[in-house]
Amino acid sequence: MTERSIRTIDSQVMTGRAGRLRLTSKNPYVPRSAIIREITRETDSVSTFVMSFIDELENNSFSYQPGQFMMVSVAHQGEAPISISSSSLQSDFFSLTIRNSGRLTKAMHSLKPGNVIGLRGPYGTAFPLEEMQGRNLLIVGGGIGMAPLRSVVHTCCRQPDHFGKVSVLYGSQNPGELCFQSEMQSWKEAGVDCRLIVDAADNGWQHQVGLVTDLLTDEFRPQKKKDLALVCGPGIMIRFVIQRLEELGYSPENIFTTLERHMKCGFGLCGHCHCREKLVCVDGPVFRRSQLGVLEDL
């Protein structure tokens, strides 16, 4: 890439839709080196990677919010967007929870602590922590969709006095695909109401069987107009969960969800992640229900 093309990219980024990001790097496509500190296996196909930037100054100045994502790269294996799954209150390191589902993610799952990867970001919109303060939160996740919601849960656990009642409803196809099971007891001890459900149970399963929408009973009707719901998971799950939340009385302004699209640049330049009139990497990935059109687009 020539110096002229880099200046052109800078100009486009600063004056276009992506200008909201206020990127300062001369070349926003250049990743920063990060080292893997720890790897936790969540399921047969999902692992959480704890990491930090190699540059100490970079690491100390790094900040993000729940719901944002990083562009992750492994040498000769490509690049992909991955949601941050740790609390933004955590210093010194951050976590990415990754499912083995493609070339890049397969390469990630072959790495070990001490290996180095490339990161760009953070990018995108976030769950509104300030707006969430003092309010009851209903968090509904499906499968790997629990990863960005975990960032919110950890924040609530670390600052329980800042939030109202926090409920987590989490579903998957089977018990073996539920992530973060080893953490859920600590969530409960911090006051979070955790409820699990699977499509198909095994002999040791002690929770409900069915769809996550089955957990959305009248018990979860919003008691106050300011109660918030956060939803993340497969598109079809999000669609039916939102429909049920609206039936329960949640207003479109108080329902937050995420959209997933194929992203390339991460800051609104390439247009790969367009969804109707929106660019998911800039206008999202976190949206209010009121910002979305027909749910069939999810």
Side-chain angles (χ1 to χ4, degrees):
M1 184 175 287
T2 66
E3 183 178 353
R4 179 180 178 182
S5 64
I6 291 173
R7 287 199 301 268
T8 300
I9 290 174
D10 281 344
S11 176
Q12 289 176 309
V13 169
M14 294 303 292
T15 59
R17 295 178 72 184
R20 279 173 278 177
L21 296 174
R22 292 291 181 256
L23 297 174
T24 57
S25 170
K26 286 187 177 181
N27 187 346
Y29 290 105
V30 175
R32 294 164 287 174
S33 296
I35 187 169
I36 298 173
R37 303 292 184 184
E38 181 182 325
I39 302 174
T40 299
R41 186 176 182 181
E42 307 290 355
T43 73
D44 288 344
S45 61
V46 177
S47 291
T48 295
F49 297 77
V50 178
M51 57 191 65
S52 60
F53 290 107
I54 290 179
D55 186 293
E56 185 174 351
L57 292 177
E58 187 94 59
N59 206 54
N60 292 338
S61 63
F62 181 65
S63 64
Y64 59 91
Q65 293 297 317
Q68 290 189 296
F69 67 94
M70 304 292 290
M71 294 299 295
V72 179
S73 58
V74 175
H76 311 298
Q77 301 300 323
E79 188 178 50
I82 304 293
S83 296
I84 302 171
S85 60
S86 51
S87 169
S88 56
L89 300 177
Q90 179 63 59
S91 59
D92 301 330
F93 64 84
F94 52 94
S95 300
L96 304 174
T97 299
I98 302 174
R99 179 174 58 189
N100 187 348
S101 60
R103 181 179 176 183
L104 181 280
T105 54
K106 181 179 180 180
M108 282 293 300
H109 277 254
S110 71
L111 301 179
K112 300 177 181 179
N115 289 148
V116 175
I117 64 170
L119 294 175
R120 296 191 290 117
Y123 296 127
T125 56
F127 293 110
L129 283 182
E130 289 189 8
E131 184 178 341
M132 290 158 54
Q133 303 247 342
R135 305 172 83 161
N136 296 332
L137 305 180
L138 176 58
I139 298 172
V140 187
I144 189 64
M146 196 64 212
L149 296 174
R150 175 185 186 247
S151 182
V152 176
V153 175
H154 277 204
T155 300
C156 294
C157 289
R158 295 188 62 161
Q159 295 183 326
D161 295 338
H162 290 206
F163 304 92
K165 180 182 179 181
V166 180
S167 300
V168 172
L169 311 183
Y170 182 29
S172 71
Q173 292 185 345
N174 58 67
E177 294 185 8
L178 287 167
C179 299
F180 317 123
Q181 293 189 63
S182 63
E183 302 179 9
M184 290 183 184
Q185 183 57 41
S186 65
W187 298 359
K188 294 176 182 178
E189 292 172 356
V192 177
D193 177 16
C194 296
R195 308 195 189 186
L196 306 178
I197 193 167
V198 295
D199 297 354
D202 56 26
N203 292 332
W205 183 247
Q206 299 178 353
H207 305 277
Q208 286 187 242
V209 177
L211 303 176
V212 72
T213 47
D214 295 334
L215 297 176
L216 287 168
T217 62
D218 287 348
E219 174 187 356
F220 292 103
R221 288 189 180 277
Q223 301 302 307
K224 303 175 183 178
K225 290 185 178 180
K226 65 178 184 177
D227 288 357
L228 301 179
L230 285 59
V231 187
C232 189
I236 191 168
M237 185 216 86
I238 293 176
R239 185 199 315 175
F240 286 103
V241 167
I242 288 179
Q243 288 178 353
R244 178 56 181 156
L245 289 171
E246 291 178 331
E247 291 173 1
L248 289 173
Y250 282 87
S251 71
E253 283 293 313
N254 290 344
I255 300 174
F256 294 86
T257 189
T258 60
L259 293 187
E260 183 175 327
R261 291 295 186 273
H262 185 59
M263 300 180 191
K264 284 289 187 180
C265 69
F267 45 81
L269 186 61
C270 70
H272 273 76
C273 63
H274 68 89
C275 178
R276 291 184 178 264
E277 76 284 2
K278 301 184 186 301
L279 294 176
V280 174
C281 69
V282 176
D283 300 309
V286 177
F287 293 90
R288 293 179 192 267
R289 167 68 180 99
S290 58
Q291 294 176 284
L292 303 176
V294 293
L295 293 178
E296 283 71 16
D297 287 342
L298 298 179

